[in-house]
Amino acid sequence: MNQPTEAFLTLQAHSNAAPNAATSATAAGRPLPHESARLHVAGQAHYIDDLPELAGTLHAALGLSPVAHGRLLSIDVAALLALPGVAAVLTAADIPGTNDCGAIVHDEPILADGAVHYLGQPIFAVLSADRETARRVAARAKEFVQIEALPALLTPEAAHAARAYVVPPMRLQRGDAAEAIQAAPLRSTNRITLGGQEQFYLEGQISYAIPKEGQGMHVHCSTQHPSEMQHAVAHALGVHAHDVLIECRRMGGGFGGKESQSALFACVAAVAARQLGRPVKLRLDRDDDFMITGRRHCFVHDWTVGHDEEGRVLGAQVEMVSRAGFSADLSAPVMARALCHFDNAYWLPNVDVHGFCARTHTQSNTAFRGFGGPQGAFAVEYILDDIARKLGRDALDVRLANLYGTDERNTTPYGQVVEDNVLLPLIDELARDSGYRARRDAVTAFNASSPVLKKGLALTPLKFGISFNVVHLNQAGALVHVYTDGSILVNHGGTEMGQGLNTKVAQMVAHTLGVKPERVRVTATDTSKVVNTSATAASTGSDLNGKAAADAARQIRERLAQHLSDRHGVPATAVRFVDDQVQVGDLTLAFEDVVMGAYMARVQLWSDGFYATPKLHWDRETMTGRPFYYFAYGAAVSEVLVDTLTGEWKLLRADVLHDVGQSINPALDIGQVEGAFIQGMGWLTSEELYWHPQSGKLMTHAPSTYKIPTASDVPADFRVKLFANRNVEDTVYRSKAVGEPPLLLPFSVFFAIRDAISSVGAHTVSPPLRAPATPEAILDAIDAVKAGVTQG
């Protein structure tokens, strides 16, 4: 695997761009290690379960519904309380406030009340001084509940047929797709099923609630959205938001699974702690986590498209149906983003896309890295791949024929102009550096002489919009404190889940003040410090919190500059903060000496910062506006080898070129690209979710039955490079978000597999390959190709 150093060197001159007049780029643009890297390696990074337990701590475990849908007739609380070691039992009747933890629509009870909606839904909580005792009692839930079973809708197709939705259907349209399809020289119709994906964060869901004086409640919660947890707990307890403090130092992974769904566990722990007056910890086992929480929405896409002989799409009608689960959760914004990303990198003149969030009696699905964008973009990539095979053309040429332009053909179906399009030069650079055309010929030659093992090759691009698609969420605050010894403490509203957010924020504060990054420390996210925060999601963590922290640091720098101007009689603009020192005319001062002098002169050495993303507007009724501040771009080439007898496959080589603007930290950014690529590859190839068709039980609920990619799945030849670019918008350090966009890069893996399968039939049949492309799915597609059968 190529070392990231190559990309660092490539970007070094670009990243160290000219600083502003008052500071020098001493920190930003450097490949610094993660701020907790040494703690991680040494086992000293504290997660919630590592915190010392206070005296009297009780452990909670959840009793889960044994049926997918039914009327909850009774819970034998007395029998539960009679069991050895049980300190208390909590049911919906014990919640003093509102029994709801729905993120947007109030349709998700904390504990089941009157009905159960999926197999695994929490019905009661058992409290014990011993965690193992609580778990063993809760596992016997079916012995203590009486439920009248009701019919259940277990698939999105069944729910769609019954017109059962968690939110009203959505529609995004431009032009007259039906007429364009009718008038098109060629037409194509197909269906693809696209599976969901478990977040599989290493640290499971956990909350530790500690009652405080009065009505106070302090909850340590592994969450991406502390402010939402604060609101949920306050509502459950029936208290004000200021009575609840949510704290999160770090998470052991989130990937969207801790954006809204950590609320149930925070609420149960807090309600139990209030009722019993004792600290309560609720930590899920992996199996219970799978059974209770939701994941990436699986989708079913049906489409009809019209196109010309060059493969250009003239009109597209698409129906997207997602498995929302039993409640709304975040399904509406996930579907909205899927619709807005259907275009991906392509100009589509006439589109009519319908989105349906199907209500199923399964876990309520939620955010996952990409937040619907990957599901939407996958549809158009499959369509273009189908068109290419129908025309007998290289799929890359069809993709290039549909690519967005710069001065024309540059408006999205929802009305946003693509102002910063670098798709063509990026793809050209990747195709050239990866040797795509020569390798295409080599793959063809290999397949002609290899009857069993077949190679496949694919290049796929991406365009990904950055911002929350709810405008008011695009805001952030931060606090920066400078102490008299010159050390700096930062607090912001984002959460650290391993992605390096705190490292980037610290770099931006150090960059703004012209000091070494070692001077800066970032503290735990805390709702009593920075309030009303948005989730760390939608790839906005660095954009929002980095800007807010830099704003606070800028105010301190300007105060210090004015103080030195007054003291030394030089213009404030002539004061430079550079290389951990301050230059005042011909005088050079140590940063800490300047800070102490300012303190003695009673200059404020702390400040709050705030940032609100400009230019955004969105009409969710017409689905038009500017939902994104800017776009990130990228492309990948993947080459695979498929065994046509077993369905096994191997990724031989992956070449990635990704746009992160001017990188704040190339080491972190390349790590994010690599991780997203492998995670997305897992989603599209091995991570298969399966619910029992009669009972509705999730059968893939543990590592033994759910296969995530491991180190052995990383290709031996993995070439990742950052595209030399600078954001045209005024983002933090002119960087671009990197968390979610690269998850679309492994589309190239899926379509390389499809390319290899297609070669079995000499590329005369379009393989009906479903996702994830497991060995079983690959063999099914090979059989269909051999039989000359296509979908649709």
Side-chain angles (χ1 to χ4, degrees):
M1 181 167 61
N2 279 15
Q3 295 300 312
T5 307
E6 177 183 342
F8 300 161
L9 295 174
T10 302
L11 270 152
Q12 194 65 38
H14 179 69
S15 295
N16 290 334
N20 61 43
T23 65
S24 178
T26 57
R30 292 170 53 193
L32 300 179
H34 191 286
E35 50 96 22
S36 294
R38 292 183 181 274
L39 298 177
H40 289 149
V41 172
Q44 296 174 344
H46 287 179
Y47 297 86
I48 292 174
D49 205 35
D50 298 316
L51 299 177
E53 293 178 5
L54 299 177
T57 293
L58 294 174
H59 295 267
L62 297 169
L64 310 181
S65 170
V67 301
H69 187 208
R71 294 187 183 91
L72 178 58
L73 303 178
S74 67
I75 305 171
D76 195 341
V77 175
L80 285 165
L81 287 170
L83 295 175
V86 175
V89 174
L90 187 74
T91 69
D94 298 307
I95 298 174
T98 306
N99 182 24
D100 176 78
C101 58
I104 299 174
V105 181
H106 300 301
D107 62 348
E108 187 168 347
I110 299 167
L111 295 174
D113 186 12
V116 293
H117 300 285
Y118 69 97
L119 196 157
Q121 182 177 0
I123 298 176
F124 60 84
V126 176
L127 284 300
S128 175
D130 175 63
R131 180 173 179 272
E132 190 63 23
T133 297
R135 287 183 60 243
R136 290 186 179 278
V137 171
R140 297 168 57 187
K142 63 182 179 181
E143 300 176 28
F144 303 97
V145 298
Q146 185 178 1
I147 300 173
E148 177 189 346
L150 296 173
L153 295 169
L154 298 178
T155 67
E157 294 92 334
H160 184 44
R163 303 187 65 80
Y165 309 118
V166 296
V167 292
M170 304 176 192
R171 186 179 188 183
L172 173 63
Q173 61 181 139
R174 173 170 64 185
D176 191 330
E179 181 179 337
I181 293 169
Q182 186 64 33
L186 300 167
R187 286 183 289 278
S188 177
T189 299
N190 209 339
R191 161 179 283 199
I192 177 66
T193 59
L194 177 60
Q197 184 179 23
E198 166 63 32
Q199 291 89 355
F200 216 105
Y201 25 68
L202 292 182
E203 177 199 33
Q205 299 279 2
I206 181 170
S207 285
Y208 186 25
I210 303 168
K212 298 294 185 179
E213 63 182 18
Q215 298 185 106
M217 185 63 64
H218 183 176
V219 183
H220 295 274
C221 183
S222 185
T223 180
Q224 296 172 238
H225 201 342
S227 287
E228 184 173 326
M229 300 309 104
Q230 180 186 34
H231 298 155
V233 169
H235 292 155
L237 295 177
V239 300
H240 292 295
H242 67 213
D243 292 313
V244 178
L245 189 161
I246 305 294
E247 181 177 349
C248 179
R249 171 61 185 94
R250 61 172 60 86
M251 286 167 279
F255 305 113
K258 297 175 181 176
E259 181 174 345
S260 62
Q261 299 218 342
S262 43
L264 187 151
F265 314 106
C267 289
V268 169
V271 169
R274 169 64 64 235
Q275 183 183 63
L276 301 171
R278 296 169 65 176
V280 171
K281 180 188 286 188
L282 173 51
R283 173 170 67 84
L284 293 189
D285 274 10
R286 183 68 62 183
D287 290 75
D288 286 347
D289 203 322
F290 265 84
M291 296 300 294
I292 297 170
T293 64
R295 43 201 57 87
R296 184 187 298 280
H297 295 69
C298 63
F299 270 58
V300 179
H301 296 299
D302 286 284
W303 68 76
T304 299
V305 297
H307 60 92
D308 64 17
E309 291 83 355
E310 300 299 313
R312 284 185 287 264
V313 174
L314 304 175
Q317 292 178 312
V318 185
E319 185 176 273
M320 300 183 181
V321 181
S322 71
R323 177 194 290 270
F326 84 97
S327 69
D329 195 83
L330 298 174
S331 292
V334 165
M335 180 57 76
R337 188 169 280 262
L339 298 181
C340 287
H341 280 78
F342 168 67
D343 62 319
N344 193 23
Y346 311 109
W347 159 252
L348 306 174
N350 299 281
V351 296
D352 188 4
V353 191
H354 295 257
F356 302 90
C357 302
R359 185 189 300 275
T360 55
H361 292 104
T362 54
Q363 294 83 357
S364 187
N365 285 328
T366 189
F368 196 122
R369 194 176 194 172
F371 202 78
Q375 293 98 309
F378 186 80
V380 75
E381 293 297 340
Y382 207 104
I383 288 170
L384 295 182
D385 202 66
D386 262 5
I387 291 173
R389 302 199 180 284
K390 181 177 181 179
L391 296 174
R393 296 171 61 89
D394 189 322
L396 175 58
D397 292 328
V398 171
R399 290 184 167 99
L400 291 172
N402 285 279
L403 211 61
Y404 270 112
T406 52
D407 299 320
E408 57 182 5
R409 293 164 47 94
N410 64 341
T411 304
T412 66
Y414 45 89
Q416 180 168 345
V417 176
V418 183
E419 299 172 334
D420 57 347
N421 185 1
V422 295
L423 282 164
L424 188 56
L426 188 151
I427 293 171
D428 285 348
E429 180 179 333
L430 178 64
R432 180 185 67 251
D433 291 352
S434 67
Y436 175 83
R437 298 294 180 179
R439 290 168 63 194
R440 166 59 66 197
D441 293 338
V443 164
T444 301
F446 175 89
N447 289 338
S449 62
S450 178
V452 174
L453 300 180
K454 298 291 185 181
K455 286 186 177 181
L457 185 71
L459 188 158
T460 58
L462 71 89
K463 173 184 68 65
F464 196 93
I466 303 298
S467 290
F468 286 104
N469 50 9
V470 177
V471 173
H472 72 264
L473 297 179
N474 296 282
Q475 59 175 297
L479 295 173
V480 174
H481 295 176
V482 179
Y483 294 91
T484 55
D485 65 352
S487 63
I488 302 164
L489 193 69
V490 182
N491 187 270
H492 60 86
T495 53
E496 175 63 53
M497 62 194 89
Q499 82 279 39
L501 173 60
N502 285 347
T503 308
K504 286 189 174 182
V505 169
Q507 284 182 264
M508 288 314 305
V509 169
H511 172 73
T512 304
L513 291 171
V515 300
K516 296 177 181 177
E518 292 79 10
R519 286 190 183 271
V520 185
R521 187 168 76 87
V522 181
T523 60
T525 311
D526 180 334
T527 56
S528 69
K529 294 178 181 175
V530 177
V531 303
N532 307 324
T533 60
S534 297
T536 304
S539 296
T540 62
S542 296
D543 281 2
L544 296 178
N545 298 287
K547 268 287 192 180
D551 177 52
R554 175 193 55 80
Q555 296 176 55
I556 297 171
R557 186 192 74 213
E558 290 177 354
R559 291 184 200 131
L560 292 174
Q562 188 59 54
H563 161 67
L564 292 171
S565 172
D566 295 341
R567 182 173 179 180
H568 295 281
V570 300
T573 54
V575 178
R576 290 180 55 83
F577 294 75
V578 55
D579 297 333
D580 216 38
Q581 296 175 323
V582 184
Q583 296 175 355
V584 187
D586 295 331
L587 184 64
T588 298
L589 303 172
F591 180 77
E592 57 267 32
D593 291 340
V594 170
V595 169
M596 178 58 78
Y599 168 73
M600 298 300 290
R602 296 186 296 179
V603 174
Q604 182 180 333
L605 294 174
W606 64 270
S607 187
D608 61 286
F610 181 76
Y611 177 72
T613 309
K615 300 184 178 182
L616 302 178
H617 57 92
W618 179 245
D619 186 331
R620 64 179 182 181
E621 298 300 323
T622 63
M623 296 202 75
T624 58
R626 178 173 178 158
F628 307 120
Y629 188 30
Y630 62 87
F631 296 101
Y633 304 94
V637 176
S638 292
E639 183 176 346
V640 302
L641 183 68
V642 174
D643 186 330
T644 60
L645 295 182
T646 66
E648 294 177 284
W649 66 277
K650 184 178 181 64
L651 178 58
L652 301 176
R653 173 178 165 183
D655 295 72
V656 171
L657 183 59
H658 193 72
D659 166 36
V660 299
Q662 181 171 261
S663 177
I664 297 172
N665 187 317
L668 294 179
D669 288 342
I670 287 178
Q672 286 289 291
V673 173
E674 291 175 341
F677 187 95
I678 300 303
Q679 187 174 53
M681 183 180 76
W683 165 48
L684 293 171
T685 60
S686 66
E687 299 183 43
E688 186 172 32
L689 295 163
Y690 175 72
W691 285 265
H692 192 282
Q694 279 78 48
S695 70
K697 180 179 180 179
L698 178 65
M699 306 302 290
T700 50
H701 58 81
S704 59
T705 50
Y706 185 80
K707 178 174 169 47
I708 64 170
T710 65
S712 62
D713 296 298
V714 177
D717 195 349
F718 195 16
R719 310 183 187 196
V720 177
K721 183 180 176 183
L722 301 182
F723 182 66
N725 195 23
R726 193 169 185 265
N727 201 336
V728 298
E729 298 294 351
D730 183 22
T731 54
V732 58
Y733 198 61
R734 296 287 178 167
S735 65
K736 289 189 178 184
V738 70
E740 294 181 315
L743 196 127
L744 280 66
L745 293 168
F747 285 0
S748 58
V749 176
F750 179 90
F751 290 107
I753 294 173
R754 196 172 190 235
D755 184 55
I757 296 170
S758 178
S759 71
V760 173
H763 301 292
T764 59
V765 176
S766 190
L769 181 64
R770 63 183 181 269
T774 61
E776 293 84 356
I778 290 171
L779 288 177
D780 287 345
I782 290 171
D783 288 343
V785 168
K786 288 179 177 179
V789 176
T790 59
Q791 287 180 309

